Amino acid sequence: MSAPLLSVEDLSQHFGGLKAVEGVTLSVSRGEIVSVIGPNGAGKTTFFNVLTGVYPGTRGRVSFDGEPIRGLAPHEIVARGVSRTFQNIRLFADMSAAENVMVGRHARTRQLLLGPLLRTKAFLEEEKAVEARAVELLDFVGLRSLGNERARNLPYGAQRRLEIARALAAEPKLLILDEPTAGMNPVESAELVSLVRRVRERGVTVLLIEHQMRVVLDVSDRVAVFDYGVKIAEGAPRAVMADPRVIEAYLGREGA
Amino acid sequence: MRRLLSHRHAPALLFAAALTLPFVARAIEFSFLTRVGGVVGLMMLLSLGLNMTLGYVGLFDLGFIAFYAVGAYGTAILMRAHVPAPLAAALAVAAALAMRALLGVTILRLRGDYLAVVTMGFGEIARLTLNNLDAWTNGPKGLQVRPWRPLAFLGAIPGLEFVRKESNVQFYFLIAAAVYLAAEASRRLENSRVGRAWVAIREDETAAQLSGIPVARYKLLAFTLSAAFAGLAGSLFALWDQFVTPESFVFWESTLLVAIVVLGGMGSISGVLLGALLLGGIPLLMEATLSPRLIDYRYLFFGLILVLMTLFRPQGLLPSARREAELSS
Ligand SMILES: Nc1ncnc2c1ncn2[C@@H]1O[C@H](COP(=O)(O)OP(=O)(O)OP(=O)(O)O)[C@@H](O)[C@H]1O
Ligand SMILES: [Mg+2]
């Protein structure tokens, strides 16, 4: 039980000479909410991209649920139970909100060609279950009434929540959120904090990148700080924010 | 229009209406209309095929007509080897699928414009091969196909005696049935896990991948399956015309298919059918009724339509409607 859900050891991702992520070690236990913070360009998104298979990583180990996952294709990592959202919203703009969530169900469903072509019982049942699950998740993120709207027509905050519903549709054990409150006002951010807590209550572990310190303090059990691709601090939220190295990383950059 | 077309029984009603065309043509003594109907039907089949790759997945394919050619030549060659027509058609479709899969495995890593250029090249190579592979294709002189009258038995029905001799009418019915089945198959796939995965890839490939879809595999699936419709259309064409030449498979035809899908609405079955009716049917009727000098302007006419469409209605004439989820309960 005490084995961490996600364990990253000495992970690096280089782009030519640029060490976007360098020697990062981090572990996340089941049921935790962990935030990754750091100045712009610190390598946070790149770190998430390696975890989710977008980049292969240059060196290091990533194990999830006891198995190595570095270098697997993104869809294989989703199948193992890691889902994510994006810093710049990436929805299927021309599909309805409900369909976006239904796509998220792909890894947990089977029907290919014959089922739909012959409209077999198994196909119809699976479709019904997929739709029911989509409606349940839309409800969970507070978007049920907007389910038949095209994603592109949803308000900004709703699009962010829809991404979370789509990610949850794959039944992840770990949900990775890249700046879920970006562009939100304080009220929306507070709602998002409560949504993240409710996600955890569903039994999903959460790893997120966050810039708003209020949110970081409210939601995180633990915080890791990145700067220039390196993890410079880790610990309880308040302790980390009082850490001189962290203050310097932020102020130093802002002063430049 | 939208409401009418999305009605549950609309496809069956439209199909039934289409079946009356040969009778109308006979009544107004303009039997050429039945032939136009058959040609438009083949265009519809081809467009539904291209819709699967270009419409759903957004893969630009400027050489689609090559698989129409595979269906046609495959059928012609097998018919000359005394294979029964239905078997020849089935084998030709299988050949189109196999070649398409092979091409897909090779080129689907390419994106956007590169894919368009490479498929265009493939289309031209296919045509040149038909022109030069004399031993199999008889080169530019083309291949004769022995006659096949698929629905002659309908002549036994009182009132349908005329059908026995008229191959145009028989093939019209056969093609209409094929279009109906192809549209129904498209519709069923569209509203399923596979169709959703295809459209998701078109909308955002990265997000699709990170939502659990093996993108390369699903692209290949759509790319391959689309050739079944093209191969079937080609096969019906060869059996109907009893003659195939490389002339019929020029680059212009591939372009026209892209225009049909874009004009009608990418990924919209009703849109694509309407597009094929307009862009396929109008020129043929113009040819039959106007002077040849005006026909020369049809490319200009198409170009103009496409420019106007992209400017004022980029989503197409009948953009695809999304399925509604049952939200209350
Ligand atoms: N595909 C890539 N190729 C080359 N360099 C890249 C690539 N992706 C990211 N980088 C670089 O890696 C560094 C880290 O970028 P990353 O997006 O991970 O930062 P971040 O911490 O998420 O920043 P932000 O807070 O602005 O989102 C940056 O210098 C960026 O330019
Ligand atoms: Mg980032």
Side-chain angles (χ1 to χ4, degrees):
Chain A
M1 183 59 238
S2 57
L5 179 64
L6 175 75
S7 140
V8 178
E9 282 171 60
D10 193 26
L11 185 70
S12 299
Q13 172 69 55
H14 300 173
F15 298 110
L18 177 76
K19 298 175 173 177
V21 173
E22 176 62 17
V24 169
T25 295
L26 180 73
S27 66
V28 178
S29 305
R30 280 165 222 274
E32 258 193 315
I33 299 177
V34 175
S35 294
V36 173
I37 66 170
N40 292 119
K44 307 178 297 290
T45 297
T46 304
F47 177 60
F48 279 18
N49 280 339
V50 179
L51 297 184
T52 54
V54 176
Y55 299 137
T58 308
R59 189 163 43 94
R61 269 186 304 279
V62 180
S63 70
F64 179 74
D65 220 1
E67 287 180 46
I69 59 165
R70 178 162 86 81
L72 293 183
H75 70 268
E76 293 170 322
I77 293 177
V78 174
R80 282 157 195 255
V82 183
S83 293
R84 71 173 283 180
T85 66
F86 302 88
Q87 183 168 354
N88 307 307
I89 298 173
R90 304 189 80 135
L91 287 166
F92 308 123
D94 219 22
M95 299 174 101
S96 73
E99 282 177 309
N100 269 269
V101 185
M102 289 164 87
V103 169
R105 200 88 195 113
H106 192 92
R108 302 290 166 236
T109 43
R110 314 226 73 84
Q111 292 294 319
L112 206 54
L113 294 176
L114 282 184
L117 283 175
L118 305 175
R119 298 186 75 76
T120 59
K121 198 162 152 259
F123 165 73
L124 294 171
E125 276 168 10
E126 188 182 280
E127 272 301 285
K128 231 172 114 187
V130 166
E131 189 170 318
R133 176 59 73 102
V135 173
E136 187 262 318
L137 284 167
L138 286 170
D139 203 33
F140 179 74
V141 301
L143 293 177
R144 183 169 182 148
S145 61
L146 296 175
N148 285 328
E149 294 292 324
R150 290 197 194 225
R152 70 163 81 256
N153 296 333
L154 294 180
Y156 183 82
Q159 294 197 3
R160 287 235 170 256
R161 280 180 286 147
L162 180 56
E163 266 202 327
I164 293 177
R166 179 180 70 189
L168 287 174
E171 284 173 41
K173 292 175 189 151
L174 176 67
L175 178 65
I176 292 184
L177 306 171
D178 194 344
E179 298 198 26
T181 67
M184 286 186 171
N185 63 38
V187 177
E188 290 172 317
S189 296
E191 281 170 9
L192 198 108
V193 166
S194 91
L195 177 59
V196 170
R197 291 216 183 93
R198 286 190 294 122
V199 167
R200 187 220 328 245
E201 280 162 28
R202 286 173 82 103
V204 180
T205 305
V206 181
L207 178 62
L208 70 157
I209 295 173
E210 188 48 66
H211 272 305
Q212 296 190 38
M213 288 310 148
R214 177 81 259 144
V215 173
V216 173
L217 288 171
D218 279 357
V219 84
S220 337
D221 299 317
R222 214 146 46 81
V223 178
V225 188
F226 281 35
D227 191 23
Y228 289 113
V230 177
K231 188 182 82 178
I232 57 166
E234 184 188 341
R238 283 181 198 286
V240 160
M241 285 192 206
D243 190 320
R245 282 169 305 174
V246 176
I247 294 167
E248 192 204 301
Y250 274 91
L251 294 184
R253 197 67 53 86
E254 264 156 35
Chain B
M1 189 77 165
R2 155 110 289 148
R3 288 195 87 85
L4 197 70
L5 283 167
S6 58
H7 189 275
R8 196 158 61 87
H9 299 297
L13 289 173
L14 284 173
F15 177 58
L19 289 183
T20 64
L21 185 86
F23 302 98
V24 173
R26 213 169 130 76
I28 62 172
E29 294 180 1
F30 185 44
S31 61
F32 183 68
L33 197 59
T34 305
R35 177 151 183 97
V36 171
V39 173
V40 168
L42 292 178
M43 287 288 209
M44 287 177 166
L45 262 185
L46 285 164
S47 308
L48 286 171
L50 186 63
N51 184 49
M52 208 172 269
T53 46
L54 174 60
Y56 294 148
V57 193
L59 298 170
F60 258 91
D61 185 339
L62 285 173
F64 195 61
I65 210 69
F67 298 90
Y68 185 52
V70 173
Y73 269 89
T75 303
I77 291 168
L78 288 164
M79 285 294 277
R80 291 166 71 85
H82 304 287
V83 175
L87 182 60
L91 291 173
V93 168
L97 283 169
M99 284 190 62
R100 184 82 167 164
L102 214 64
L103 180 68
V105 168
T106 334
I107 68 168
L108 278 180
R109 256 164 301 166
L110 300 171
R111 280 165 193 250
D113 301 349
Y114 295 101
L115 188 65
V117 170
V118 171
T119 49
M120 179 175 129
F122 180 82
E124 283 304 282
I125 290 169
R127 190 176 59 81
L128 292 173
T129 307
L130 293 174
N131 244 325
N132 293 300
L133 205 67
D134 284 18
W136 288 77
T137 65
N138 199 26
K141 293 192 287 296
L143 286 177
Q144 202 85 38
V145 180
R146 82 186 130 87
W148 180 58
R149 293 286 169 270
L151 302 176
F153 65 87
L154 286 178
I157 300 168
L160 294 183
E161 290 85 357
F162 73 99
V163 175
R164 191 194 312 275
K165 289 225 181 67
E166 295 214 27
S167 87
N168 277 347
V169 177
Q170 294 184 24
F171 274 95
Y172 176 82
F173 285 146
L174 204 59
I175 290 166
V179 170
Y180 182 74
L181 289 177
E184 181 62 19
S186 297
R187 191 179 67 86
R188 289 182 178 192
L189 289 179
E190 185 181 321
N191 291 312
S192 77
R193 176 171 175 265
V194 172
R196 283 191 296 271
W198 287 339
V199 175
I201 293 169
R202 180 190 74 200
E203 295 290 296
D204 188 327
E205 199 170 318
T206 303
Q209 209 152 24
L210 288 154
S211 299
I213 297 167
V215 166
R217 230 177 288 162
Y218 274 76
K219 278 185 177 176
L220 183 62
L221 183 65
F223 193 76
T224 303
L225 274 184
S226 66
F229 293 175
L232 179 62
S235 184
L236 288 167
F237 171 66
L239 290 167
W240 181 16
D241 258 19
Q242 295 170 37
F243 185 63
V244 290
T245 70
E247 292 285 84
S248 311
F249 311 105
V250 291
F251 175 60
W252 162 250
E253 301 287 335
S254 289
T255 327
L256 181 61
L257 293 174
V258 171
I260 287 172
V261 174
V262 173
L263 173 87
M266 304 243 282
S268 158
I269 295 167
S270 51
V272 162
L273 294 177
L274 179 66
L277 182 67
L278 296 178
L279 292 191
I282 291 174
L284 281 175
L285 288 175
M286 277 164 69
E287 223 165 289
T289 50
L290 296 178
S291 80
R293 276 204 29 234
L294 278 172
I295 313 278
D296 290 342
Y297 290 105
R298 68 180 171 182
Y299 299 140
L300 200 65
F301 167 73
F302 282 163
L304 195 66
I305 288 187
L306 285 181
V307 170
L308 290 176
M309 285 296 296
T310 17
L311 283 179
F312 298 110
R313 211 176 155 80
Q315 72 276 39
L317 289 175
L318 296 173
S320 71
R322 303 310 320 170
R323 185 178 100 188
E324 304 246 310
E326 191 60 61
L327 295 176
S328 55
S329 75

